Amino acid sequence: MKKLITCALAALSFHASSQANVVYEWQGNNNAAPFNITLRMEFTDAAFDAGAVHVRARQYQFLPNTGLVAFHYTFPGLAQPVSYLPTERPFGEGELLDMDIVFEDDLTLSGNFKAIGIESHVFMDSVGSLFTVTNANSDAGMTWAGCAPWTACSGATGVFRQVPEPGSMALVGLGLVGLARRVRARRGTPPAL
């Protein structure tokens, strides 16, 4: 039992130190193009606690204190991803990000954004937490994402859900181990190591 308590305390201290950022990922929920897009946003805990993030970024701006840590968007094909790391480097030539995001109580997001990269862009708006791609395109084309060549693509819907952090997953695992040990102890089965 002492080992279990020691492990729990260690996991809790790991959990507290691992809470640096909050991550959300796109989960599409219809069969409209663009297909198979990947969109991941990472925010500071302070931004999450404040309840919203507002970013107006233009090329060459360095914006380390907006609450946005990372933004990454890709789709199937050969195009260069739209990827921003505003806490680490300035926005590049031609890059733009307009973002108004609200953190909802059900661990989803609502709001809108326009992200423009070197050769691709994606615009999304939400009604509640349901986001819709209103415009996506790429200089390299988006045919592998189900879009006609050189034509703006829209219609995919989905939500952004918070990704559980590793510390939380460790605590869940530790709890399951403790529960299994307790059940075995009640049955008279020696606990496994």
Side-chain angles (χ1 to χ4, degrees), residues 12-22 43-46 165-168 171:
L12 285 172
S13 65
F14 169 76
H15 175 71
S17 66
S18 70
Q19 288 188 347
N21 298 317
V22 181
F43 303 95
T44 63
D45 275 345
E165 55 189 272
S168 297
L171 285 175

Side-chain angles (χ1 to χ4, degrees), residues 34-45:
F35 303 115
N36 301 316
I37 62 175
T38 302
L39 217 157
R40 182 178 176 100
M41 294 184 270
E42 186 174 343
F43 303 95
T44 63
D45 275 345

Side-chain angles (χ1 to χ4, degrees), residues 3-79:
K3 285 183 181 179
L4 186 60
I5 292 171
T6 303
C7 288
L9 290 174
L12 285 172
S13 65
F14 169 76
H15 175 71
S17 66
S18 70
Q19 288 188 347
N21 298 317
V22 181
V23 177
Y24 286 82
E25 289 183 348
W26 166 262
Q27 295 177 350
N29 64 7
N30 70 353
N31 288 323
F35 303 115
N36 301 316
I37 62 175
T38 302
L39 217 157
R40 182 178 176 100
M41 294 184 270
E42 186 174 343
F43 303 95
T44 63
D45 275 345
F48 178 79
D49 292 342
V53 169
H54 308 285
V55 179
R56 298 287 177 270
R58 303 296 182 261
Q59 64 184 3
Y60 311 125
Q61 285 185 307
F62 181 57
L63 301 170
N65 300 316
T66 62
L68 178 66
V69 176
F71 179 99
H72 187 74
Y73 162 70
T74 60
F75 55 87
L78 304 173

Side-chain angles (χ1 to χ4, degrees), residues 53-127:
V53 169
H54 308 285
V55 179
R56 298 287 177 270
R58 303 296 182 261
Q59 64 184 3
Y60 311 125
Q61 285 185 307
F62 181 57
L63 301 170
N65 300 316
T66 62
L68 178 66
V69 176
F71 179 99
H72 187 74
Y73 162 70
T74 60
F75 55 87
L78 304 173
Q80 183 175 0
V82 176
S83 190
Y84 308 123
L85 299 168
T87 60
E88 297 178 18
R89 64 174 174 81
F91 283 73
E93 183 173 348
E95 292 182 331
L96 171 143
L97 178 64
D98 283 343
M99 173 184 283
D100 291 303
I101 294 293
V102 175
F103 300 99
E104 299 295 340
D105 292 337
D106 63 353
L107 303 180
T108 60
L109 300 176
S110 64
N112 61 75
F113 62 86
K114 294 179 180 179
I116 299 175
I118 302 292
E119 61 180 39
S120 302
H121 70 263
V122 61
F123 302 169
M124 288 190 176
D125 289 308
S126 79
V127 174

